[in-house]
Amino acid sequence: MSGKKNVDLLVGAQWGDEGKGKVVDMLGSDVDVFVRFQGGANAGHTVISDGQKVVFHLLPSGMLYSGKLCVLGNGLVIDPEQFLAETNELFQRGQDKARLAVSPHAHVVMPYHRMLDKLQEEARGKGRKIGTTGRGIGPCYVDKYSRSGLRIEDLIDPDVLRERLTYILEEKNQIFTKLYNQKPLPFDEVYEPARKWGEAIAPYVDDIRAILRKAVDEGQHVLLEGAQAALLDIDHGTYPYVTSSSTSAAGAFTGTGLAPNDLTRVIAVVKAYTTRVGEGAFPTEDFEEAGEKLRANGGEFGATTGRPRRCGWLDIPALKYSMELNGADVIALTKLDVLTGMGGIKVCVAYEKDGEKISTWPTDYRVLDNLKPVYETLPGWDDDITNCKTFEELPANAQSYVKYIEEKLKTPVMLIGVGADRNQTINRGM
Ligand code: GDP
Ligand code: IMO
Ligand code: MG
């Protein structure tokens, strides 16, 4: 029974959109089970294979492979409409339903969560907005922790759904009418679609903890795919400008029921520069030409909301923090090609604030604002690298940049992205 464990955990190391989807897809041929364990349809994971582009919001990025199991863990918040739209699209492409398993304990994002997300953002007003994706993520996790949530298992039992939704909606309608001056939601308008979603999702529901336990014990290759990233973590990120789940490595255990010692490797996905969508501190953001150029060259527009991403340089203290938090064993460095033709490449190695030098990532939000980055500038390169297949084929300055990152973060860079396609990846032994 007990083969050698083979469980990879892949996490974003910055503020999301590092290219996690591409890396999962690229590693996928060797994977047996793909798992999402936290977050919801706020994620946008892009996979480009043979010129075909697919953006996954809820489903694991391994869904394009045939015959492999894809799991949605209990830590997720699942918007049933989004789930059904995404699965239907894939089934129309010929994917097999049988290999998708959904935890009965995942929470359901209801329409009132999406409404509350928007109303709360509006109420926060200028200067306090988080810049959420509007997907109802925060309000759904609030309900989970206040024990007023609906789980997938509630959705698929019409009687339980009716009973729980009755009192949940009463409370929500008090909030809508009294706090936000909105009309109340009629029960049937919420219940009837929810009941139908339950019917449609029921065939996928399974004991994912037991399935994963068996897969791990048999030595199957399990790939846990994080959404968002360490600096958006509810506990360890730039609170309150974070998402509402545990996005760093620890979330993989609560979000699946696997144990910490099941893990064999943590892969941190690091973009070769930095981007952020939404509000919050971003010390290395570049408001000048370089930021514009990174956005244009990197196609830095949100995969979920289409918003332009804020762009800037690599931030070493932030990444050191992220490596520690995640226990990163290896780095997948993405979008190195975007730095081609950028001239000198700036890297932040410390910060200054009020004349004081700070060399570690400050977790105090009062310190985080208005940090002045201290940069080192590395020489750039102009040669196109999008067809490079080996590290040695990269221009010397690109190689030096990779080595610099490895030295600063004391973590080996095992994959290097040189283009958006699955094949545009230099594999240094993963
Ligand atoms: P995720 O949320 O971490 O999966 O990342 P997104 O999909 O939101 O954003 C990453 C974007 O960069 C997508 O458009 C990818 O197709 C693209 N991408 C990923 N890796 C590379 C790379 O190495 N080079 C280039 N040029 N694009 C990449
Ligand atoms: P992937 O998985 C980048 C950001 C939002 C906002 C904050 C809170 O594609 O990397 P939320 O809707 O989660 O309550 O928004 O988090 N955010 C992301 N930023 N990539 C993501 O996912 C994100 N998911 C949420 O922009 O600042
Ligand atoms: Mg994304």
Side-chain angles (χ1 to χ4, degrees):
M1 257 298 272
S2 74
K4 199 166 170 290
K5 286 178 186 173
N6 189 5
V7 181
D8 282 334
L9 168 57
L10 179 138
V11 284
Q14 292 148 314
W15 279 289
D17 305 325
E18 293 86 357
K20 297 176 291 293
K22 182 203 150 173
V23 178
V24 168
D25 172 70
M26 186 262 151
L27 294 172
S29 60
D30 183 42
V31 171
D32 301 303
V33 187
F34 297 89
V35 188
R36 274 280 310 266
F37 57 85
Q38 48 66 233
N42 49 349
H45 296 177
T46 314
V47 169
I48 299 178
S49 153
D50 301 328
Q52 260 196 359
K53 175 172 159 176
V54 183
V55 181
F56 294 102
H57 297 288
L58 271 172
L59 302 183
S61 302
M63 270 306 280
L64 292 184
Y65 286 95
S66 293
K68 305 194 177 201
L69 183 62
C70 287
V71 170
L72 300 191
N74 56 278
L76 259 84
V77 289
I78 297 177
D79 181 330
E81 275 185 302
Q82 178 68 37
F83 172 84
L84 294 169
E86 219 168 302
T87 47
N88 284 338
E89 200 187 314
L90 285 165
F91 299 150
Q92 273 162 19
R93 285 169 185 255
Q95 293 296 328
D96 174 13
K97 290 184 191 199
R99 54 193 200 83
L100 189 59
V102 178
S103 168
H105 298 161
H107 274 252
V108 182
V109 179
M110 294 291 285
Y112 49 75
H113 291 132
R114 285 198 305 268
M115 289 165 65
L116 277 172
D117 194 352
K118 293 195 174 109
L119 289 166
Q120 285 171 352
E121 276 284 85
E122 276 164 30
R124 281 184 189 111
K126 209 168 175 289
R128 286 199 211 92
K129 277 193 184 13
I130 289 162
T132 71
T133 59
R135 297 295 181 107
I137 305 299
C140 186
Y141 276 114
V142 165
D143 276 0
K144 168 176 173 169
Y145 283 96
S146 70
R147 291 149 297 173
S148 300
L150 289 169
R151 308 211 288 189
I152 294 289
E153 63 189 359
D154 301 326
L155 205 62
I156 64 182
D157 182 327
D159 296 333
V160 173
L161 178 64
R162 179 174 288 282
E163 197 270 322
R164 281 187 66 76
L165 192 60
T166 301
Y167 83 84
I168 290 170
L169 201 58
E170 261 168 34
E171 191 208 24
K172 292 288 178 272
N173 277 337
Q174 294 282 338
I175 295 171
F176 283 132
T177 54
K178 300 208 170 123
L179 196 57
Y180 292 113
N181 283 324
Q182 303 288 311
K183 288 192 187 126
L185 294 175
F187 180 85
D188 284 340
E189 280 181 28
V190 183
Y191 174 78
E192 277 307 321
R195 189 182 57 75
K196 287 187 187 134
W197 295 330
E199 259 173 38
I201 292 178
Y204 307 105
V205 177
D206 213 331
D207 184 350
I208 68 103
R209 192 208 64 83
I211 290 173
L212 290 175
R213 179 77 267 134
K214 184 164 177 286
V216 172
D217 289 342
E218 285 175 351
Q220 292 187 40
H221 188 183
V222 176
L223 177 55
L224 301 157
E225 174 183 359
Q228 292 82 47
L231 301 177
L232 287 171
D233 188 280
I234 186 72
D235 287 281
H236 304 288
T238 48
Y239 192 90
Y241 301 101
V242 293
T243 190
S244 296
S245 65
S246 296
T247 54
S248 41
F253 310 114
T254 52
T256 57
L258 287 176
N261 61 357
D262 285 325
L263 216 58
T264 47
R265 184 168 60 171
V266 178
I267 304 165
V269 187
V270 176
K271 198 182 283 195
Y273 49 98
T274 312
T275 62
R276 179 164 197 174
V277 212
E279 305 302 320
F282 180 179
T284 61
E285 182 167 11
D286 190 298
F287 298 96
E288 312 289 329
E289 207 185 313
E292 291 286 342
K293 212 168 161 187
L294 288 172
R295 187 174 308 113
N297 294 356
E300 294 296 355
F301 296 88
T304 298
T305 58
R307 290 178 289 179
R309 294 173 182 154
R310 301 157 64 192
C311 295
W313 302 104
L314 209 64
D315 187 329
I316 294 295
L319 282 171
K320 275 189 186 159
Y321 173 73
S322 184
M323 296 299 121
E324 286 178 11
L325 198 58
N326 288 305
D329 295 302
V330 296
I331 290 171
L333 185 70
T334 60
K335 305 191 90 162
L336 188 64
D337 55 298
V338 176
L339 293 178
T340 303
M342 284 298 294
I345 298 169
K346 295 207 276 184
V347 180
C348 168
V349 291
Y351 318 97
E352 269 172 26
K353 178 144 177 156
D354 305 328
E356 199 188 323
K357 192 171 171 193
I358 300 171
S359 49
T360 54
W361 178 248
T363 52
D364 183 333
Y365 68 93
R366 286 160 299 193
V367 181
L368 264 172
D369 280 337
N370 306 314
L371 285 175
K372 191 168 167 281
V374 177
Y375 286 115
E376 286 179 2
T377 302
L378 277 71
W381 60 91
D382 291 319
D383 298 342
D384 181 11
I385 62 169
T386 55
N387 292 315
C388 290
K389 299 281 177 233
T390 64
F391 186 68
E392 291 66 33
E393 283 173 50
L394 289 172
N397 288 346
Q399 291 188 20
S400 300
Y401 186 60
V402 175
K403 286 183 191 153
Y404 177 92
I405 294 169
E406 287 183 314
E407 275 161 30
K408 289 282 183 195
L409 302 181
K410 298 190 172 45
T411 312
V413 171
M414 296 298 276
L415 287 180
I416 303 168
V418 293
D421 198 88
R422 184 187 278 180
N423 300 320
Q424 289 177 300
T425 314
I426 296 173
N427 189 339
R428 301 171 85 194
M430 290 255 297

